[in-house]
Amino acid sequence: QSNNTVQLNDTALPSMTTVSISSNNGNPSLAKAEDRITLNLTCDESVSVPTVSFYSGPDYDVINGARVTITPNSGYNTTYTATYDVDSNDTDGNVTFSVSNFQDANGNTGNTATIVTDSTSVSVDTTEPTFSSITMRSSSNLNDQYAKQGKTVILDICANEVINQPTVTFTIDGQEIDSARVTVSGTTDSFKAQFGVQSSDVDGLIGFTISNISDLAGNTANDISTLTSGSGVTVDKVSPSIDSVTIASNNDNPSFAKVGETIELTITANESIISPTVEFTINVQSVTDSNSVTVRDLQGDGTTYIAEYTISSSDSEGLVGFSISGYTDLADNSGPTVISTSNGSQVTIDNTLPTLTIVSIASDNSVSNTAAKSNDKISLTEVEKYDKIILSPGPGLPDEHKNLKKII
């Protein structure tokens, strides 16, 4: 005690009462390359310039101290800011820090500060966005790699991180689709771009471009125009047609057929089609067992089919008719019904055994054509259309009927 005064020793440690971190990115909790990260510090008393270290990423990679700027950089102050600019080589991840070596005027050193006093945080992201999946399909229930008029073409986009909604444009055979027809929807890392096929659209392969790609930190990526898998979608608004239809049987004469023999209808389309429905008629009447008609893909590519039917004993006789219907191309366009062959071929069902209606026998005998002697010729007429004729002597043996044995 001197001059009625008392000198008290200050042993209280200074403390950072406010610690907050942010970046100058549009989203202050994120930082990309060249963004500035700022740590704002407020102490409960004036202290010397602290030492501030920054760390980036899950492994706490140290940011070079030469990149860190502290303001003010001298004297004793209650508020400080520490900043550094993000480099493209910095490790992605949360930014952490340590604030140490700050003293008050009495030389008391404060405890190291390593956490914020509010809810602020900054995550470094220097990586451009990428995509795990970009695929295209149509709304067709038959084959989603084709689209006809009225169907929707859909581009499914899956990113490897949260991104902003990109811009998507489509083309068909190089002709761009009006952007007003394209809708893009989705959030976070999954988006869907689509448009409906119209009658005025050309046929052909659909192309696309994904542009204005950026993540939430503002990292951008180049435009993308290729799928990660699949072959894309083709617009096809044209109905298929049957180019060739022929009919034949497995009879020695393919224009005729009898019971047990098979009718074959060969169908060739101008493009791949889904198995057609084939119905046979005989003399304008449905065949007895229509369920036994088989249709098979001859070459496996959907362009050529064979329809077969085996004649039943209960089938009627007459000309075979048919209808080819119910077929579509891969885009689900329906083809017209076909009821005639392309080459005029036809098959007639004939189950009736032949009979001899008029057969006459005569000789060239000069006296009477009803008698014949040695060396006279005997001829049969109206039999040319028969494969063979059996001559029978009637009751008895041929030897008992004069010259008939020689004729036989």
Side-chain angles (χ1 to χ4, degrees):
Q1 181 175 351
S2 175
N3 298 325
N4 297 321
T5 62
V6 176
Q7 183 68 42
L8 299 177
N9 291 327
D10 177 11
T11 60
L13 301 181
S15 175
M16 292 294 174
T17 57
T18 301
V19 181
S20 178
I21 192 171
S22 63
S23 80
N24 65 344
N25 187 283
N27 184 336
S29 64
L30 297 173
K32 66 179 185 305
E34 301 182 4
D35 285 346
R36 178 162 293 180
I37 295 176
T38 300
L39 186 68
N40 291 300
L41 305 170
T42 300
C43 193
D44 59 358
E45 61 178 308
S46 295
V47 292
S48 60
V49 179
T51 298
V52 179
S53 298
F54 287 100
Y55 311 91
S56 181
D59 295 329
Y60 303 100
D61 294 331
V62 179
I63 301 301
N64 190 326
R67 293 168 53 192
V68 178
T69 300
I70 301 176
T71 305
N73 61 4
S74 64
Y76 286 78
N77 303 277
T78 57
T79 60
Y80 289 92
T81 60
T83 63
Y84 83 95
D85 292 340
V86 177
D87 185 87
S88 60
N89 293 319
D90 288 346
T91 304
D92 285 358
N94 288 329
V95 176
T96 53
F97 57 86
S98 66
V99 181
S100 60
N101 299 326
F102 54 93
Q103 296 180 336
D104 61 17
N106 291 318
N108 296 305
T109 301
N111 293 322
T112 299
T114 59
I115 59 175
V116 296
T117 57
D118 54 17
S119 60
T120 57
S121 65
V122 174
S123 180
V124 169
D125 179 2
T126 63
T127 304
E128 70 176 42
T130 57
F131 295 88
S132 59
S133 175
I134 301 175
T135 58
M136 188 184 294
R137 57 190 169 90
S138 80
S139 60
S140 172
N141 293 324
L142 180 63
N143 188 325
D144 65 6
Q145 299 306 297
Y146 289 86
K148 66 176 183 179
Q149 179 182 343
K151 296 301 182 181
T152 300
V153 177
I154 304 161
L155 186 70
D156 292 306
I157 304 167
C158 293
N160 284 318
E161 62 176 308
V162 177
I163 62 172
N164 299 304
Q165 181 172 294
T167 299
V168 180
T169 57
F170 288 99
T171 61
I172 304 176
D173 196 32
Q175 298 187 24
E176 188 167 344
I177 297 298
D178 185 350
S179 60
R181 294 170 52 191
V182 179
T183 61
V184 181
S185 60
T187 58
T188 63
D189 60 352
S190 180
F191 293 87
K192 180 184 297 182
Q194 59 187 32
F195 74 95
V197 177
Q198 298 180 353
S199 59
S200 58
D201 291 332
V202 298
D203 284 3
L205 187 65
I206 297 174
F208 70 93
T209 300
I210 305 173
S211 59
N212 297 324
I213 303 167
S214 64
D215 60 20
L216 300 187
N219 297 297
T220 60
N222 293 329
D223 295 353
I224 296 177
S225 298
T226 57
L227 299 171
T228 57
S229 63
S231 57
V233 174
T234 298
V235 171
D236 179 1
K237 311 187 308 300
V238 179
S239 296
S241 63
I242 303 297
D243 287 346
S244 173
V245 180
T246 60
I247 192 170
S249 77
N250 63 347
N251 187 284
D252 291 339
N253 184 341
S255 295
F256 289 87
K258 61 182 184 294
V259 172
E261 294 180 336
T262 301
I263 303 168
E264 294 184 350
L265 188 71
T266 303
I267 306 163
T268 302
N270 67 332
E271 60 178 309
S272 295
I273 60 173
I274 305 304
S275 182
T277 298
V278 176
E279 296 179 346
F280 285 106
T281 62
I282 302 174
N283 196 22
V284 199
Q285 297 181 33
S286 297
V287 294
T288 302
D289 188 9
S290 59
N291 291 329
S292 68
V293 176
T294 61
V295 181
R296 57 189 174 91
D297 187 344
L298 185 62
Q299 298 174 331
D301 61 358
T303 59
T304 303
Y305 290 86
I306 287 186
E308 296 177 316
Y309 176 71
T310 299
I311 303 301
S312 167
S313 59
S314 55
D315 283 324
S316 58
E317 294 185 316
L319 189 64
V320 175
F322 62 88
S323 68
I324 305 168
S325 62
Y327 62 94
T328 66
D329 60 17
L330 299 184
D332 203 23
N333 296 298
S334 298
T337 299
V338 177
I339 59 173
S340 60
T341 61
S342 57
N343 65 345
S345 56
Q346 61 182 26
V347 173
T348 299
I349 305 304
D350 181 2
N351 292 325
T352 303
L353 295 176
T355 59
L356 294 176
T357 55
I358 300 176
V359 178
S360 63
I361 185 169
S363 76
D364 63 352
N365 185 279
S366 59
V367 177
S368 173
N369 63 2
T370 62
K373 66 179 186 301
S374 178
N375 295 324
D376 284 347
K377 293 181 179 179
I378 297 175
S379 61
L380 296 174
T381 60
E382 301 294 329
V383 296
E384 291 82 357
K385 61 182 179 181
Y386 299 100
D387 295 330
K388 59 186 176 180
I389 293 177
I390 299 175
L391 299 177
S392 172
L397 299 174
D399 290 338
E400 300 172 353
H401 291 268
K402 300 182 177 179
N403 292 324
L404 185 57
K405 184 177 181 181
K406 295 181 180 180
I407 296 173
I408 294 175

